[in-house]
Amino acid sequence: MDAKSTVKKFISPNFVLALVLLIPPLTIFGLFALLALIAPAVRAKKTVARLEAGGELIKVANEMMSASAKHMIKGNVILTDNYVICKNTGYIFRYDEIRWVYRHRFTQSVLFIPIKVTDSLYLATQSMSARGVASMGKDKNEEIKAAILEIYSHNNNCLVGYTDENKARYRALAK
């Protein structure tokens, strides 16, 4: 398998869910679900094209397959020697471009009753505001902390943790 298909296969989303959601034709929920699944696919295609144009695609694929690559957060993130590769979101970051990394906890409620708590890994770069790149249940947030420490060990200049001070510092850096 060549480098392009290896990277593309890992970061591209699965479209089986979109087909199941669109069985009730053109429901509002089905349309939003389709958009939520198309965006990562478009992002993955752009990421692969950007890496290919920069000559980094083969390097990314080799690092993904190396024994030193660390699979974290239920296999949704691969931390290599030079890259953070995010499955199903289409993001691939070099460590040196990451400016801010933090854990975000989201509580989903129905009629003010909390039903689900999700911890997510968020990354921000100079050109991109903070985006969630991997999510998991609240019982596994130690993996997110380990991923944050690993990212920080490769890039000591990034901001770690979500605080008002870090938010203000990131905004100042992004200008």
Side-chain angles (χ1 to χ4, degrees):
M1 192 179 305
D2 67 333
K4 185 175 183 177
S5 61
T6 301
V7 173
K8 197 172 185 178
K9 181 180 176 186
F10 182 78
I11 65 173
S12 294
N14 187 352
F15 285 105
V16 174
L17 181 60
L19 294 174
V20 171
L21 292 174
L22 288 177
I23 288 175
L26 301 178
T27 63
I28 297 295
F29 179 73
L31 289 175
F32 283 121
L34 181 63
L35 290 174
L37 289 171
I38 288 175
V42 170
R43 190 177 311 116
K45 188 175 181 180
K46 286 181 181 178
T47 299
V48 168
R50 177 181 53 91
L51 291 171
E52 196 170 31
E56 295 181 87
L57 188 63
I58 294 172
K59 184 178 178 182
V60 170
N62 290 337
E63 286 189 20
M64 271 179 59
M65 300 305 194
S66 74
S68 65
K70 296 177 182 169
H71 296 258
M72 303 185 100
I73 310 173
K74 294 183 179 178
N76 288 328
V77 174
I78 296 177
L79 301 175
T80 67
D81 295 333
N82 297 301
Y83 299 95
V84 177
I85 304 165
C86 308
K87 182 177 184 176
N88 292 336
T89 59
Y91 291 117
I92 298 177
F93 301 103
R94 286 188 321 274
Y95 287 115
D96 60 352
E97 68 184 0
I98 297 172
R99 298 286 183 249
W100 188 18
V101 58
Y102 61 92
R103 178 183 63 91
H104 174 73
R105 178 165 276 182
F106 176 74
T107 304
Q108 185 176 0
S109 301
V110 174
L111 298 174
F112 306 104
I113 301 170
I115 59 168
K116 183 179 179 184
V117 177
T118 304
D119 285 323
S120 300
L121 176 67
Y122 272 63
L123 296 175
T125 65
Q126 180 73 27
S127 60
M128 182 189 83
S129 62
R131 302 275 165 77
V133 296
S135 296
M136 63 191 326
K138 68 176 181 170
D139 299 333
K140 304 279 187 176
N141 72 24
E142 292 300 319
E143 286 187 58
I144 292 177
K145 289 179 185 176
I148 289 171
L149 289 174
E150 183 71 24
I151 291 168
Y152 183 72
S153 72
H154 288 300
N155 180 1
N156 296 335
N157 296 325
C158 71
L159 303 170
V160 175
Y162 188 89
T163 62
D164 290 335
E165 179 184 322
N166 280 348
K167 187 176 180 179
R169 288 173 61 195
Y170 171 72
R171 285 186 177 163
L173 287 172
K175 288 183 182 181

